[in-house]
Amino acid sequence: MKQKLHSESSGCCSCEHEHHENHNHHHDENHNHDHNHNHGGEFNLKNEIFPLVRILSLYAPGVIFENQLHNTLYSIGEYLVFIPAYLLSGWSVLKTAGRNILRGRIFDETFLMTVATLGAIAIHKLPEAVGVMLFYKIGELFQDIAVSRSRNSIKVLLEIRPDYANIQTEQGLKKVSPDTVKIGDIIVVKPGEKIPLDGEILQGNSQIDTSALTGESVPRSVKPGETVLAGTINKIGVLTIQVTKLFDESSIAKILDLVQNAKSKKAATEKFITKFARYYTPIVVFASLGVALLPPLFISGATSSEWIYRALILLVISCPCGLVISIPLGYFGGIGGAAKRGILVKGSTFLDSLNAVKTVVFDKTGTLTKGVFQVTKIVPKNGFIEEELLELTAKIESHSNHPIAQSIRNAYGNNIDASDVKDYEEIAGCGIRAKVANKVVMAGSDRLLHQEAIAHDNCLVEGTVIHLAVDNIYAGYIVIADELKEDAREAIQTLKKMGVEKTVMLTGDNQAIASRIAQEIGIDIYEAELLPEEKVNAIEKLLSTTEKHAKVAFVGDGINDAPVIARADIGMAMGGLGSDAAIETADIVIITDAPSKVAQAIQIARKTRKIVWQNIGFALAIKGVFIGLGIFGIATMWEAVFADVGVALLAIFNATRVMK
């Protein structure tokens, strides 16, 4: 993993190497619904419809002729038609109920349906018994279609895995697996091919389609010297690329792994419904038992068959399928909808938590700004000249991969002999020291100059600044400019309109530039010249002063942001430019690197929760009405089927709205 040798510098080439544990501060909870029979594999509509056609071919004639014939021969035929239809439609429910009983999990929706339908068969209500199972199976089909649509949005990310790489060898181009390509290898990507690995363009100009990775439809123009990411598609010209990361370490490989594990963390609302069903189901079973047994004992003229039928109706009506199915589906739809927009949410618990975000904290470099640096000013002091200052700084920065160091080397433009730089040493949080041509050269922040007691005339230089000292004499400074992202201001304004109470910026850059950027984009609070550990302290402080149920989100991109991302209630990382450590530690990955996606993620979370609670309220209200009708004998088994499967279907259709 690359190490970031600059803490968004206050000019500070701070060389802190953050050793962090990639711990996840939220607990995994695996959640599998027995009724989701097809969700683990590939959904095939033809395979699902064929069994339904077989059941209907038995069920429809049975219903048509049920009231036409009333002799013994028909009764035998009725069983010959309806029992196979019942077993075909209800086998998965019966099997699940039996398995759960053996495991000691008796009271669930499959148990309710099994008891209700077997009871209906016992009192000779065969069409109703088959109807309950058949419509439940139809409900499952619609659920599978809905889940498949949500899954396809996420699968777009999985499909961007490149199949091969054209590696340049002495014998010409050779097609190999991306897994076998090493760092430094040269690969060639032809028009229409996927870029197989992260790398830097050596030759060629083209446009690349990043839509599968970022959700953005407009192709991006690229030229030599620019970085391209695995999974994007080369549209026009031939590109020669030098590989900078192994496939397993590329951003896309990390994201693929995260997508495949995105469902494991369950939202609080899902946990509530699971708990609710655990207590609700036994209450319903014993209430139905009371309805079946008590009225014939205490009400004159009440028959056992009539009240058993009412009790069975009550069981079917009370089945919590609509809730148990539609709520996880709602969250799954939310995760799929976010993925379509270039936002990867690692689990429904994080989507749910976004609803409570009242404070959003941003890193600066690479998050609010583009992280594309250029040398804009060279100011020599004490007899040094511009060329000398730039050459010394480029040489001492030759070991760093940070964008600031790269911008200085680009400005210098000449080859650097590594043997010129000796005794290289990092000064934690401040800069670096090395011997260049037998001179002791130090480069870093204003803090470094004070720490080493080097006299200088100006502490507050606006911009990202690298100060240089040679043999303890101040040699001057270099100013590097970074550019704000186009949507940075819009991101802050949208968050405020949505009711986010506090926007904060934490940066290692100096006070002057932090103040200017905060003012320019409308940030409420900023803290500057922070070391990575000081950023963690700042987050701790915000967490301690935030209201009990409010959440703090942190958005960052670098390896030095990983500890802060881990500590915040919700950690968000920039997925394109972001370091591996930040992406792995984050709960949400913004694949497009756009800060405006933070507000979009919160909007999706709010819509998801709204739809989920609509489903809960709707299902409970309808079931309440029909339970009353069932107890008083007004509702038949057919109304019970609507109250169960109909509610589930309507809830499923409602849940799919979150995708749009």
Side-chain angles (χ1 to χ4, degrees):
M1 248 177 226
K2 67 185 180 188
Q3 288 170 319
K4 190 164 183 177
L5 300 182
H6 293 262
S7 161
E8 295 183 318
S9 295
S10 44
C12 187
C13 341
S14 54
C15 310
E16 54 286 2
H17 288 232
E18 281 298 325
H19 296 285
H20 70 284
E21 291 179 19
N22 180 23
H23 70 282
N24 198 331
H25 53 294
H26 304 278
H27 298 292
D28 279 354
E29 285 202 42
N30 294 320
H31 183 46
N32 299 310
H33 293 293
D34 290 323
H35 56 270
N36 289 0
H37 56 91
N38 191 44
H39 301 168
E42 194 69 31
F43 174 72
N44 188 313
L45 188 59
K46 287 180 184 175
N47 291 349
E48 295 298 317
I49 285 180
F50 183 64
L52 281 176
V53 172
R54 279 192 302 171
I55 297 161
L56 286 167
S57 66
L58 290 168
Y59 183 64
V63 172
I64 291 166
F65 293 114
E66 183 193 12
N67 297 318
Q68 307 301 317
L69 299 168
H70 295 284
N71 54 32
T72 309
L73 184 64
Y74 173 74
S75 294
I76 296 167
E78 185 183 20
Y79 279 97
L80 289 173
V81 171
F82 282 123
I83 295 301
Y86 174 76
L87 292 172
L88 282 170
S89 58
W91 182 249
S92 64
V93 173
L94 297 169
K95 188 171 73 174
T96 303
R99 190 172 65 235
N100 287 351
I101 289 167
L102 291 173
R103 290 174 179 171
R105 280 172 30 216
I106 298 172
F107 298 115
D108 65 1
E109 68 268 21
T110 57
F111 176 78
L112 290 183
M113 290 177 68
T114 301
V115 171
T117 52
L118 290 175
I121 291 169
I123 61 169
H124 206 254
K125 297 284 182 182
L126 274 75
E128 286 94 331
V130 178
V132 170
M133 292 299 194
L134 173 62
F135 286 107
Y136 179 74
K137 197 165 185 70
I138 291 169
E140 277 202 315
L141 173 63
F142 280 107
Q143 181 200 358
D144 284 342
I145 292 168
V147 168
S148 179
R149 284 179 61 197
S150 298
R151 188 182 291 279
N152 285 340
S153 300
I154 300 172
K155 262 186 69 181
V156 170
L157 286 172
L158 297 175
E159 286 165 1
I160 61 183
R161 181 187 170 95
D163 302 316
Y164 63 89
N166 300 315
I167 191 167
Q168 211 170 61
T169 66
E170 290 176 3
Q171 291 77 37
L173 291 183
K174 184 181 176 186
K175 195 177 277 191
V176 298
S177 166
D179 296 322
T180 63
V181 180
K182 299 182 182 68
I183 293 170
D185 284 350
I186 309 297
I187 57 171
V188 174
V189 184
K190 299 168 188 173
E193 290 184 331
K194 286 176 189 168
I195 294 173
L197 298 107
D198 292 4
E200 185 181 318
I201 299 173
L202 298 179
Q203 289 175 23
N205 293 280
S206 183
Q207 290 189 330
I208 57 171
D209 178 358
T210 63
S211 58
L213 190 61
T214 67
E216 299 297 330
S217 56
V218 180
R220 181 168 72 89
S221 297
V222 291
K223 58 183 186 295
E226 291 192 23
T227 299
V228 287
L229 298 178
T232 54
I233 298 168
N234 182 25
K235 300 291 282 183
I236 303 170
V238 176
L239 293 177
T240 304
I241 298 167
Q242 184 168 34
V243 176
T244 54
K245 279 187 184 176
L246 296 173
F247 181 76
D248 289 343
E249 293 172 2
S250 66
S251 300
I252 187 57
K254 301 289 180 192
I255 290 165
L256 294 180
D257 183 55
L258 300 177
V259 170
Q260 287 162 330
N261 295 306
K263 294 182 296 167
S264 63
K265 297 173 185 70
K266 192 165 60 163
T269 315
E270 288 180 86
K271 293 175 190 171
F272 161 73
I273 289 301
T274 307
K275 201 170 182 180
F276 171 79
R278 200 180 299 147
Y279 294 103
Y280 165 85
T281 311
I283 290 169
V284 166
V285 171
F286 289 115
S288 300
L289 202 59
V291 168
L293 299 177
L294 297 178
L297 296 176
F298 298 107
I299 300 172
S300 61
T303 61
S304 293
S305 62
E306 181 194 352
W307 284 96
I308 288 170
Y309 183 59
R310 290 189 191 185
L312 296 174
I313 290 169
L314 183 61
L315 282 177
V316 175
I317 292 169
S318 303
C319 183
C321 304
L323 294 175
V324 175
I325 290 171
S326 69
I327 289 162
L329 180 61
Y331 283 110
F332 196 75
I335 290 170
K340 275 175 79 173
R341 291 159 182 82
I343 303 161
L344 174 63
V345 184
K346 295 189 191 177
S348 56
T349 183
F350 308 124
L351 197 65
D352 214 32
S353 295
L354 279 173
N355 286 280
V357 168
K358 293 296 178 189
T359 303
V360 180
V361 186
F362 291 92
D363 167 49
K364 182 181 76 66
T365 305
T367 303
L368 292 171
T369 66
K370 291 179 179 177
V372 178
F373 295 93
Q374 284 185 320
V375 172
T376 56
K377 191 190 280 187
I378 302 172
V379 182
K381 299 280 183 178
N382 297 324
F384 287 87
I385 60 172
E386 286 188 19
E387 292 77 8
E388 186 183 10
L389 191 66
L390 183 59
E391 182 183 358
L392 286 170
T393 312
K395 285 183 175 180
I396 198 169
E397 292 283 5
S398 61
H399 292 291
S400 174
N401 289 321
H402 191 273
I404 290 175
Q406 287 174 347
S407 71
I408 290 167
R409 291 199 298 273
N410 291 341
Y412 176 56
N414 297 322
N415 290 329
I416 297 168
D417 187 349
S419 63
D420 286 350
V421 183
K422 295 173 182 173
D423 301 335
Y424 182 87
E425 178 193 352
E426 295 166 2
I427 304 163
C430 292
I432 45 186
R433 179 194 283 119
K435 271 191 178 179
V436 180
N438 292 321
K439 295 174 183 174
V440 177
V441 181
M442 286 184 285
S445 64
D446 183 67
R447 184 184 299 180
L448 173 69
L449 300 178
H450 287 281
Q451 185 175 301
E452 299 295 326
I454 294 165
H456 57 294
D457 55 359
N458 191 357
C459 292
L460 293 174
V461 181
E462 186 166 326
T464 300
V465 182
I466 302 255
H467 293 276
L468 201 75
V470 179
D471 290 333
N472 286 338
I473 296 168
Y474 185 51
Y477 61 87
I478 295 174
V479 180
I480 295 106
D482 189 10
E483 199 179 333
L484 271 173
K485 288 182 179 174
E486 289 84 357
D487 63 339
R489 183 174 175 76
E490 175 204 337
I492 304 302
Q493 288 174 337
T494 309
L495 286 169
K496 288 182 176 179
K497 282 177 191 168
M498 290 171 62
V500 170
E501 294 167 1
K502 206 184 289 179
T503 54
V504 183
M505 181 176 75
L506 303 179
T507 177
D509 220 330
N510 67 30
Q511 288 286 348
I513 197 165
S515 173
R516 180 176 62 78
I517 285 176
Q519 202 170 357
E520 197 174 326
I521 64 175
I523 289 272
D524 297 321
I525 302 164
Y526 70 89
E527 289 190 43
E529 299 180 19
L530 297 177
L531 300 176
E533 58 269 25
E534 290 172 333
K535 284 187 182 181
V536 176
N537 294 339
I539 280 285
E540 294 274 8
K541 192 172 160 187
L542 283 167
L543 288 167
S544 65
T545 55
T546 302
E547 292 172 23
K548 188 178 178 184
H549 298 293
K551 303 281 186 188
V552 175
F554 178 83
V555 192
D557 72 306
I559 192 169
N560 60 342
D561 293 325
V564 204
I565 287 171
R567 183 62 194 92
D569 291 321
I570 300 162
M572 304 174 86
M574 296 295 174
L577 291 171
S579 76
D580 301 339
I583 290 169
E584 285 175 14
T585 312
D587 307 315
I588 296 167
V589 180
I590 298 169
I591 301 165
T592 59
D593 282 343
S596 58
K597 294 287 182 182
V598 176
Q600 206 170 101
I602 295 172
Q603 284 167 340
I604 291 167
R606 288 180 181 178
K607 186 175 180 182
T608 303
R609 176 176 273 192
K610 186 179 174 185
I611 285 171
V612 163
W613 280 103
Q614 280 173 359
N615 282 348
I616 292 171
F618 174 71
L620 292 178
I622 295 290
K623 283 182 182 292
V625 170
F626 277 90
I627 283 170
L629 295 174
I631 290 171
F632 289 106
I634 300 168
T636 66
M637 190 68 84
W638 294 115
E639 278 92 351
V641 169
F642 168 74
D644 174 32
V645 180
V647 166
L649 283 175
L650 291 170
I652 287 165
F653 292 140
N654 192 35
T656 59
R657 288 196 303 123
V658 79
M659 288 286 293
K660 294 174 183 160

